[in-house]
């Protein structure tokens, strides 16, 4: 039963596009987003279905006329799919200002596609400081107004509160899955947990909540005897395909936690329901675990990463990054140094490009890394 | 060639030379020497990004130091690649901004034509030019273990929203407070007004200087402007800079009146987009001269010609100007500015430098090129390079493409 569920999630992860088209066929209105800083609740409350685009493994045929080869493959392949007409089921897309690539991609996308909806949310770089909060609250309101304008009616406050509850439940469930994996990576292996979370990017949140509950029930009823395995933590931007997780498992290791934009950072922190909804949404973006394109004075990325490594018992860290991704690549030397010096944790950097993805190469590098940890 | 002809040619070349360049060299030399001498003294030194508000630093007598200007210098001296390699050896990807890589390399080794920059007491990072500077300055802040002030300028699509303006003004005030703490001095509003007035004066002079190039023949090329812009980037707000640009404007006006062009012969006029290819300035300058083509204007040096600064409300209008610089606005607004430059300077086409390690300036260029041609009917050439990492540059190919392009103009 559980295996079927996981299998379905993995399939979805491998190719979510047909499923997104199906959402449209079933009467849903899918709107794409790319980055985890989108207040999805607003769209959800307006009757739209936020779905996530993480790039795809493909050769580029259309996007080269708009983006240079030195741009990350997430942006290039997503734009390529849109220009090729493969995303015609979308109502539109939402862009947030994180990296310079996303900032420009928004304009390029808007100018060259004709989806009915185009949303922009501008973010401050300074997060978690009082000075930027009023700005962010206004931006969230402005985004809400964009959505309302598009759907032609205003979003009722109770509907928004309801959506916030649905998403918060989703975050709590995801957290539980992650905690369970940490505690017992045999009962809940790295791939299954990641796949269960990822599936939520391509379905309605209510359905995903039900899925996660079933996943958790299955996992809890499955008693295990623990096997010693090499425990790894993955950090970086997005895992477009399940390959990394599959390879780790094939090589006899397990992912016990992550600091990924398509993983832990997506569901970190709840929206505090005591604030007015727009402010509450803004506050979450402002307080959640930082993406490297943002700056937080509270606790920097290295501290968080070290804490996560310690709590999850990871023995090694995999940096899984997109080539040409400035914000992530910049932090690599610092984070690796901290891991090594302060925790004695080895790490490896795996750069990928979706249009020239090589599973074999990935496998070789991972194998070598895992072997150094085991000490063979 | 007869003796007379040679004499005439030498005289002609002398006549065409921009005399103020020497004054600028002195000004910049003095500036770098003073900055270097200040290291380890009571004088405060701040490193700041090129789009950052420098006026408050001048007001507090802090010496502003610009890693990007230094990067350009290292690039022009063909020394940036070795500095980049130092950073790459530390684990920084080859794909990151080459200014940043070179600067980190120089900070670690004190390398470069002037033996590195003086150590900062604190850092000021304004992300109106890119988000890369945030990562770069975070790294500097860790390396030097000094405070970092982030002046945050969210991207502007369409007109400036009031909450973006308010955020900017709040930060301008906070920035002043930060400087009070860093220098142990109190803010002197009168002084600030004077600095702001001088900064606006310099900016307006710079705008007028660039405008002289609408004359035919053009009194300078944008290669000259790239060099002559150093003071406006680094020291605007000081009296020396106002005096310098005053002199330069006079010289440019005289040249226009006397019909002195920068090239021996100007047959075609071209607009340049993106940061210069610093290590190729000489070669490209020669090539365009040979092709009788003048690069009369560019989007880069024009970024320092803010419009609508209001001396009556310097703090606010300064905050607004910094919020809406060229790289912090949407493609449509960038296209408007490009088209405006093309019209004002009556160009025959545009050359765009697709700059491998500067994403905010380069991503979107393909769309801008099409929009530009659609609106002006003018052709565009896109060449591939990097502002200071020459390892990505293919001279033969680029020069060949420029020749073909220019020969087909008109
Ligand atoms: S992978 Fe990096 S460069 Fe690409 S969109 Fe994400 S953050 Fe930006
Ligand atoms: S990325 Fe571009 S704008 Fe930013 S510092 Fe580098 S060269 Fe300048």
């Amino acid at each position: 039963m559980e295996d079927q569920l996981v299998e379905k999630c993995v399939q979805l992860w491998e190719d979510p596009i047909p499923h997104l088209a199906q959402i449209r066929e079933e009467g849903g209105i899918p709107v794409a987003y790319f980055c985890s800083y989108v207040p999805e609740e607003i769209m959800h409350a307006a009757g739209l279905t936020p779905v996530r685009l993480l790039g795809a493994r493909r050769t580029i045929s259309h996007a080269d006329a708009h983006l240079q080869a030195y741009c990350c493959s997430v942006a290039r392949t997503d734009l390529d799919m849109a220009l090729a007409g493969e995303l015609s089921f979308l109502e539109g897309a939402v862009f947030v200002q994180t990296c310079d690539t996303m900032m420009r991609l928004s304009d390029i996308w808007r100018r060259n596609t004709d989806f009915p909806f185009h949303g922009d949310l501008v973010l401050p770089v300074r997060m978690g400081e009082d000075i930027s909060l009023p700005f962010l609250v206004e931006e969230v309101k402005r985004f809400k107004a964009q959505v309302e304008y598009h759907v032609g009616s205003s979003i009722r406050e109770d509907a928004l509160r309801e959506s916030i509850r649905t998403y918060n439940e989703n975050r709590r469930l995801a957290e539980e899955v992650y905690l369970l994996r940490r505690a017992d990576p045999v009962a809940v292996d790295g791939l299954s947990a990641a796949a269960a979370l990822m599936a939520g990017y391509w379905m309605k949140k209510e359905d995903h909540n039900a899925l996660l509950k079933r996943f958790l029930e299955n996992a809890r009823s499955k008693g295990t005897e623990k096997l010693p395995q090499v425990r790894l933590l993955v950090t970086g931007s997005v895992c477009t395909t399940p390959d990394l997780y599959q390879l780790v498992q094939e090589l006899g290791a397990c992912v016990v936690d992550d600091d990924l934009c398509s993983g832990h950072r997506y569901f970190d922190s709840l929206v505090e329901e005591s604030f007015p909804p727009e402010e509450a949404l803004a506050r979450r973006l402002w307080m959640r675990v930082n993406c490297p394109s943002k700056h937080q004075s509270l606790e920097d990325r290295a501290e968080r990463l070290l804490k996560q490594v310690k709590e999850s018992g990871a023995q090694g860290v995999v940096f899984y990054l997109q080539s040409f991704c400035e914000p992530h690549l910049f932090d690599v030397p610092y984070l690796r140094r901290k891991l090594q010096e302060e925790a004695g944790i080895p790490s490896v950097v795996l750069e990928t490009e979706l249009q020239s993805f090589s599973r074999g190469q990935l496998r070789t590098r991972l194998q070598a890394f895992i072997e150094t940890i085991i000490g063979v | 060639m007869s003796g007379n002809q040679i004499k005439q040619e030498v005289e002609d070349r002398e006549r065409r030379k921009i005399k103020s360049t020497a004054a600028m060299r002195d000004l910049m030399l003095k500036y770098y020497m003073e900055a270097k001498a200040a290291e380890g003294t009571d004088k405060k030194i701040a490193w700041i990004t090129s789009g950052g508000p420098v006026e408050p630093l001048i007001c507090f007598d802090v010496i502003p130091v610009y890693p990007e200007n230094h990067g350009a210098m290292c690039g022009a001296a063909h020394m940036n690649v070795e500095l980049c390699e130092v950073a790459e050896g530390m684990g920084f990807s080859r794909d990151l901004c080459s200014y940043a890589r070179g600067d980190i390399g120089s900070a670690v080794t004190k390398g470069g034509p002037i033996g590195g920059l003086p150590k900062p007491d604190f850092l000021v990072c304004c992300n109106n030019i890119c988000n890369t500077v945030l990562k770069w300055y975070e790294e500097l802040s860790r390396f030097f273990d000094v405070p970092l002030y982030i002046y945050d300028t969210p991207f502007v699509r369409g007109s400036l929203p009031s909450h973006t303006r308010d955020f900017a003004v709040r930060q301008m005030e906070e920035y002043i407070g930060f400087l009070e703490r860093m220098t142990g001095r109190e803010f002197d509003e009168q002084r600030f007004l004077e600095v702001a007035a001088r900064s606006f004066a310099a900016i307006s002079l710079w705008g007028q200087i660039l405008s002289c190039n609408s004359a035919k023949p053009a009194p300078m090329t944008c290669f000259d402007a790239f060099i002559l812009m150093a003071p406006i980037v680094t020291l605007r707000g000081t009296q020396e800079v106002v005096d310098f640009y005053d002199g330069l404007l006079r010289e440019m006006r005289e040249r226009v009146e006397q019909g002195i062009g920068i090239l021996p012969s100007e047959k075609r006029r071209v607009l340049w987009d993106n940061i210069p290819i610093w290590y190729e300035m000489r070669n490209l300058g020669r090539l365009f001269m040979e092709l009788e083509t003048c690069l009369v204007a560019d989007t880069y040096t024009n970024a320092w010609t803010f419009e609508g600064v209001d001396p009556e409300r310097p703090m606010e209008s300064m905050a607004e100007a910094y919020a809406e610089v060229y790289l912090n606005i949407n493609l449509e607004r960038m296209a408007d500015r490009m088209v405006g430059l093309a019209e004002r300077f009556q160009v025959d086409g545009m050359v765009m430098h697709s700059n491998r390690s500067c994403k905010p300036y380069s991503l979107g260029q393909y769309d801008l090129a099409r929009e530009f041609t659609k609106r002006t009917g003018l052709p565009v050439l896109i060449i591939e390079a990097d502002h200071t990492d020459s390892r990505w540059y293919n001279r033969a190919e680029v020069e060949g493409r420029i020749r073909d392009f220019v020969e087909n103009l008109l």
Side-chain angles (χ1 to χ4, degrees):
Chain A
M1 173 64 208
E2 190 212 341
D3 292 338
Q4 260 174 18
L5 185 71
V6 170
E7 213 174 287
K8 237 184 77 193
C9 293
V10 173
Q11 273 169 14
L12 199 54
W13 192 355
E14 264 157 4
D15 189 12
I17 303 297
H19 193 78
L20 300 185
Q22 199 187 324
I23 294 180
R24 178 61 100 170
E25 277 159 28
E26 287 164 2
I29 310 173
V31 174
Y33 67 95
F34 307 85
C35 168
S36 61
Y37 276 95
V38 174
E40 289 175 59
E41 291 90 334
I42 289 174
M43 293 191 277
H44 184 266
L48 308 171
T49 306
V51 296
R52 193 163 181 184
L53 293 182
L54 297 170
R57 214 180 305 165
R58 65 192 274 123
T59 44
I60 308 276
S61 51
H62 298 73
D64 281 343
H66 303 274
L67 287 172
Q68 286 94 329
Y70 49 77
C71 168
C72 81
S73 65
V74 170
R76 289 174 76 207
T77 56
D78 280 335
L79 181 66
D80 201 60
M81 286 192 284
L83 296 174
E86 292 165 27
L87 304 178
S88 54
F89 50 81
L90 287 180
E91 183 72 2
V94 178
F95 294 80
V96 293
Q97 186 193 1
T98 45
C99 63
D100 295 326
T101 301
M102 272 297 152
M103 170 179 101
R104 291 282 178 237
L105 182 64
S106 171
D107 287 350
I108 294 171
W109 183 287
R110 174 171 42 74
R111 294 174 57 84
N112 296 288
T113 60
D114 45 19
F115 298 111
F117 179 64
H118 188 93
D120 275 307
L121 177 74
V122 178
L123 297 175
V125 146
R126 296 173 62 180
M127 294 291 189
E129 295 181 76
D130 288 343
I131 195 154
S132 61
L133 186 61
F135 169 79
L136 189 49
V137 173
E138 283 310 307
E139 270 302 310
V140 169
K141 286 185 183 162
R142 194 161 79 132
F143 176 65
K144 179 166 163 258
Q146 291 171 33
V147 172
E148 289 175 329
Y149 180 79
H150 178 71
V151 297
S153 62
S154 58
I155 296 168
R156 290 199 335 269
E157 187 177 326
D158 56 344
L160 189 50
R161 286 192 183 279
E162 187 51 41
S163 294
I164 289 175
R165 275 193 289 277
T166 303
Y167 271 78
N168 271 348
E169 185 184 11
N170 191 257
R171 293 181 186 113
R172 281 193 204 96
L173 291 166
E175 179 76 34
E176 255 186 80
V177 171
Y178 266 53
L179 286 176
L180 212 57
R181 174 173 69 176
R182 231 185 225 183
D184 189 351
V186 178
V188 180
D189 63 275
L191 175 69
S192 306
L197 173 75
M198 299 283 293
Y201 297 141
W202 308 297
M203 56 172 67
K204 291 194 166 145
K205 272 292 173 282
E206 292 83 347
D207 297 343
H208 188 233
N209 285 346
L211 184 149
L212 289 179
K213 279 181 199 157
R214 263 175 58 210
F215 180 90
L216 284 165
E217 272 163 31
N218 291 343
R220 284 202 198 89
S221 63
K222 195 177 173 189
T224 60
E225 77 264 33
K226 288 193 189 174
L227 299 169
Q229 274 180 317
V230 175
R231 299 165 70 100
L232 299 176
L233 185 145
V234 184
T235 178
S237 56
V238 295
C239 275
T240 307
T241 65
D243 294 83
L244 175 70
Y245 282 83
Q246 288 163 343
L247 287 170
V248 165
Q249 244 149 271
E250 281 170 30
L251 293 164
C254 58
V255 175
V256 286
D257 200 355
D258 74 64
D259 169 43
L260 289 166
C261 177
S262 60
H264 215 146
R265 283 205 303 277
Y266 172 75
F267 63 81
D268 178 74
S269 301
L270 299 176
V271 176
E272 276 185 56
E273 292 171 31
S274 56
F275 288 104
E278 294 94 339
E279 182 182 342
L281 290 167
R283 278 181 179 273
R284 174 174 174 268
L285 301 179
W286 182 72
M287 288 303 292
R288 52 158 272 199
V289 173
N290 221 13
C291 146
S293 69
K294 300 293 159 208
H295 183 89
Q296 244 172 26
S297 53
L298 311 165
E299 192 181 359
D300 81 6
R301 289 193 68 215
E303 267 175 70
R304 293 228 195 207
L305 187 59
L306 283 168
K307 201 163 107 193
Q308 244 183 310
V309 164
K310 205 168 151 212
E311 285 171 4
S312 65
Q315 297 153 281
V317 171
V318 176
F319 287 82
Y320 192 65
L321 305 171
Q322 288 289 323
S323 293
F324 304 109
C325 169
E326 297 248 340
H328 282 277
L329 288 169
F330 250 110
D331 279 351
V332 167
Y334 168 61
L335 293 177
R336 294 191 72 190
R337 200 168 60 234
K338 288 287 251 192
L339 284 168
Q340 190 60 53
E341 283 170 9
E342 286 179 25
I345 295 287
S347 58
V348 66
V349 182
L350 304 174
E351 262 192 49
T352 66
E353 275 197 275
L354 292 165
Q355 70 279 6
S356 58
F357 185 84
S358 162
R359 201 173 205 262
Q361 218 172 25
L362 198 61
R363 191 190 160 94
T364 313
R365 304 272 328 268
L366 268 174
Q367 186 165 14
F369 181 59
I370 291 168
E371 280 168 6
T372 50
I373 294 176
I374 305 171
V376 288
Chain B
M1 227 189 266
S2 74
N4 251 351
Q5 272 176 313
I6 293 173
K7 196 170 153 234
Q8 218 179 339
E9 202 172 287
V10 170
E11 272 172 15
D12 183 52
R13 203 180 303 155
E14 205 39 52
R15 205 167 88 99
R16 284 187 286 107
K17 228 185 227 162
I18 298 173
K19 313 293 178 290
S20 304
T21 308
M24 192 224 49
R25 291 238 153 84
D26 293 346
L27 190 66
M28 292 307 288
L29 193 67
K30 183 166 153 270
Y31 155 66
Y32 272 111
M33 268 164 50
E34 278 177 10
K36 296 270 286 183
E39 190 168 2
T41 72
D42 289 346
K43 269 210 144 232
K44 296 283 181 223
I45 298 171
W47 287 18
I48 181 170
T49 55
S50 68
V54 68
E55 292 81 359
L57 293 180
I58 306 277
C59 176
F60 278 91
D61 283 321
V62 174
I63 301 180
V65 167
Y66 286 81
E68 289 155 79
N69 181 259
H70 179 243
M73 204 195 302
C74 295
H78 297 257
M79 295 176 88
N80 212 50
V81 170
E82 60 194 73
L83 298 175
C84 286
E85 282 167 353
V86 172
E88 288 156 21
M90 293 163 70
F92 290 97
S93 156
R94 270 168 84 112
D95 300 325
L96 298 172
C97 168
S98 59
Y99 274 165
R101 271 179 289 144
D103 184 48
I104 291 166
S106 162
V108 174
T109 60
K110 286 272 175 196
I114 58 164
L117 292 172
K119 183 182 179 301
D121 294 291
F122 58 93
L123 305 159
V124 179
C125 169
C126 177
N127 56 332
N128 58 357
I129 47 167
C130 64
N131 286 302
T132 288
V133 288
L134 171 75
K135 304 309 295 173
W136 173 6
Y137 276 60
E138 282 177 346
E139 182 62 24
L140 290 176
S141 171
R142 289 191 288 257
F143 179 77
F144 289 114
D145 193 20
V146 292
L148 165 63
Y149 183 75
I150 299 169
Y151 185 91
D152 187 1
T153 46
F155 195 70
V156 179
R157 282 200 175 76
S159 57
L160 186 69
S162 62
H163 59 283
T164 310
R165 178 186 297 112
D166 294 345
F167 183 33
V169 173
R170 277 202 305 281
Q171 288 182 94
M172 217 25 122
E173 286 158 5
E174 184 196 47
Y175 179 31
I176 302 282
F178 171 82
L179 293 178
E180 288 186 323
R181 286 201 309 284
M182 288 297 116
T183 60
R185 286 168 50 169
E186 240 174 80
F187 178 57
D188 177 347
E189 193 171 357
Q190 190 49 42
R191 181 103 202 277
F192 182 76
L193 291 175
E194 288 161 22
V195 171
R198 287 198 293 266
S199 174
F200 295 151
I203 287 168
S204 131
L205 286 167
W206 179 242
Q208 293 174 59
I209 290 161
L210 293 176
S211 288
C212 288
N213 253 21
S214 57
K216 285 184 183 174
M220 66 172 172
T221 74
C222 66
F223 290 118
D224 303 299
F226 292 150
I227 307 279
L228 292 164
M229 77 190 287
I232 198 80
V233 177
T234 52
L235 288 166
R236 58 184 180 273
T238 64
Q239 188 56 40
E240 291 139 286
V241 169
V242 178
D243 296 343
F244 166 69
Y245 285 115
D246 221 18
L248 181 59
L249 178 60
R250 239 178 294 124
E251 185 182 355
M252 287 301 145
R253 287 199 169 138
E254 274 167 26
R255 289 170 73 97
V256 172
E257 273 160 30
Q258 296 170 20
I260 305 173
I262 188 75
L263 301 186
S265 155
E266 175 189 302
K267 292 233 172 94
R268 306 172 190 90
R269 298 161 65 87
V270 165
L271 179 66
W272 172 273
D273 180 55
N274 211 311
I275 302 176
I277 306 171
W278 291 110
Y279 47 89
E280 271 303 287
M281 293 268 281
R282 237 171 236 277
N283 288 329
L284 287 175
R286 256 197 301 261
L287 176 68
F288 280 106
M289 176 162 18
E290 185 199 310
L291 294 169
E292 297 169 292
T293 300
C294 189
L295 297 179
V296 288
D298 66 274
T299 54
Y300 186 59
T301 53
N302 273 282
W304 276 268
T305 56
F306 307 145
E307 275 155 36
V309 272
D310 180 357
E312 297 296 312
R313 15 166 241 125
M315 200 78 100
E316 288 81 2
S317 65
M318 205 178 267
E320 288 162 16
Y322 282 106
E324 294 191 88
V325 302
Y326 187 64
L327 292 179
N328 209 38
I329 54 177
N330 53 306
L331 291 179
E332 287 78 5
R333 286 185 70 187
M334 291 172 88
D336 286 345
R337 291 210 197 173
M338 263 178 194
V339 171
L341 290 174
E343 284 165 0
R344 254 175 65 214
F345 293 95
Q346 304 163 67
V347 302
D348 307 305
M350 171 163 67
V351 174
M352 291 182 125
H353 162 205
S354 164
N355 183 353
R356 192 177 188 280
S357 72
C358 178
K359 294 188 180 60
Y361 219 145
S362 306
L363 301 185
Q365 272 178 324
Y366 295 170
D367 282 80
L368 283 172
R370 278 186 288 268
E371 179 73 12
F372 181 82
T373 300
K374 195 169 103 194
R375 285 169 61 178
T376 60
L378 299 172
V380 176
L381 171 70
I382 301 178
I383 56 174
E384 299 291 331
D386 184 285
H387 51 305
T388 55
D389 190 344
S390 55
R391 289 171 297 179
W392 303 103
Y393 187 66
N394 183 335
R395 182 180 299 148
E397 187 190 313
V398 170
E399 292 194 350
R401 296 190 61 214
I402 290 176
R403 268 178 209 284
D404 288 348
F405 177 73
V406 167
E407 275 154 16
N408 286 316
L409 284 178
L410 298 177

